[in-house]
Amino acid sequence: SAVISQKPSRDICQRGTSLTIQCQVDSQVTMMFWYRQQPGQSLTLIATANQGSEATYESGFVIDKFPISRPNLTFSTLTVSNMSPEDSSIYLCSVGGGGGTYEQYFGPGTRLTVT
Amino acid sequence: ILNVEQSPQSLHVQEGDSTNFTCSFPSSNFYALHWYRWETAKSPEALFVMTLNGDEKKKGRISATLNTKEGYSYLYIKGSQPEDSATYLCAFNNAGNNRKLIWGLGTSLAVNP
């Protein structure tokens, strides 16, 4: 299994600002994913971060709001842009285990509160 | 729309009690069912991945069963301990889009010493 770290672990941000969340993995991985969990909701996939190409976004998520970088096989960033209180969530990055069952390993999450 | 439902939403038990929770998922186009444990301020931790109907997996005091024909999985904890307090999440892979996990809301377990 991979060891994944995220920065920051939590933040409180003002409406209209942007926050960039970093995800670092201790080994090279092909698939990296970004999720969010809004209060009272299930984990929802935002996008798949692809190394060397644009991220693949899920329905309801757009690049202008959630730009993603993936400069190499061990690192990715997610930016939450022009934040509103509805963006208050836990943001998680994960990596695919590479096995046929698509098991994923997660970072500890970034707890974001937008005021 | 693919839905994964978990029950109960929350559970309080005494140390030493055994408990179980349910995960319901679409029975058609099944690929895999995942159980995770998520403690506050920590990473969600993978417990089991199950693919075969009738499968049963065990890890210490925790075990899980799978019925793909009727679309449910049970997670059992025997002799609950305070360190078992966490949210238990299940997630489902659909054969049509098997990289993507569809998540339930979780069961929040609190074990009182």
Side-chain angles (χ1 to χ4, degrees):
Chain A
S1 64
V3 177
I4 304 163
S5 59
Q6 279 185 241
K7 288 186 197 178
S9 58
R10 59 177 65 239
D11 209 339
I12 300 173
C13 299
Q14 299 252 344
R15 180 195 297 260
T17 63
S18 298
L19 176 72
T20 295
I21 302 167
Q22 298 179 8
C23 179
Q24 179 75 53
V25 190
D26 69 343
S27 57
Q28 293 186 338
V29 293
T30 305
M31 309 290 290
M32 291 182 79
F33 307 94
W34 286 99
Y35 286 86
R36 77 173 178 189
Q37 186 187 43
Q38 293 175 299
Q41 303 295 314
S42 60
L43 277 173
T44 302
L45 182 64
I46 298 171
T48 302
N50 304 307
Q51 198 270 328
S53 64
E54 274 196 7
T56 305
Y57 288 84
E58 296 296 310
S59 176
F61 298 96
V62 295
I63 189 171
D64 289 346
K65 176 67 176 177
F66 297 103
I68 287 171
S69 78
R70 180 87 195 270
N72 56 53
L73 292 174
T74 64
F75 186 78
S76 178
T77 67
L78 170 77
T79 299
V80 187
S81 302
N82 187 24
M83 287 185 283
S84 66
E86 293 70 38
D87 294 319
S88 298
S89 297
I90 300 173
Y91 291 86
L92 291 154
C93 71
S94 76
V95 303
T101 52
Y102 302 107
E103 188 169 291
Q104 292 182 21
Y105 303 104
F106 286 85
T110 296
R111 280 164 170 74
L112 171 62
T113 302
V114 183
T115 60
Chain B
I1 296 177
L2 299 174
N3 274 332
V4 175
E5 295 185 0
Q6 292 188 246
S7 63
Q9 185 176 343
S10 65
L11 198 53
H12 292 255
V13 301
Q14 289 298 125
E15 182 174 355
D17 287 351
S18 293
T19 187
N20 65 84
F21 347 116
T22 306
C23 173
S24 301
F25 53 87
S27 56
S28 59
N29 288 326
F30 175 85
Y31 188 81
L33 192 283
H34 304 246
W35 281 101
Y36 285 80
R37 174 171 59 201
W38 193 3
E39 296 179 64
T40 302
K42 294 188 178 179
S43 306
E45 172 198 356
L47 291 174
F48 306 113
V49 181
M50 308 174 79
T51 56
L52 298 175
N53 184 44
D55 215 359
E56 182 170 342
K57 298 226 171 170
K58 190 173 181 182
K59 187 176 183 177
R61 294 179 290 99
I62 304 176
S63 60
T65 60
L66 180 67
N67 183 321
T68 61
K69 293 186 178 179
E70 296 181 40
Y72 64 83
S73 175
Y74 293 134
L75 187 80
Y76 300 90
I77 302 178
K78 185 177 177 182
S80 301
Q81 300 296 308
E83 57 266 30
D84 295 329
S85 298
T87 296
Y88 291 82
L89 298 168
C90 74
F92 162 75
N93 287 112
N94 173 269
N97 185 7
N98 47 27
R99 289 185 182 276
K100 182 176 176 179
L101 294 176
I102 310 296
W103 295 84
L105 286 171
T107 293
S108 175
L109 173 67
V111 182
N112 301 317

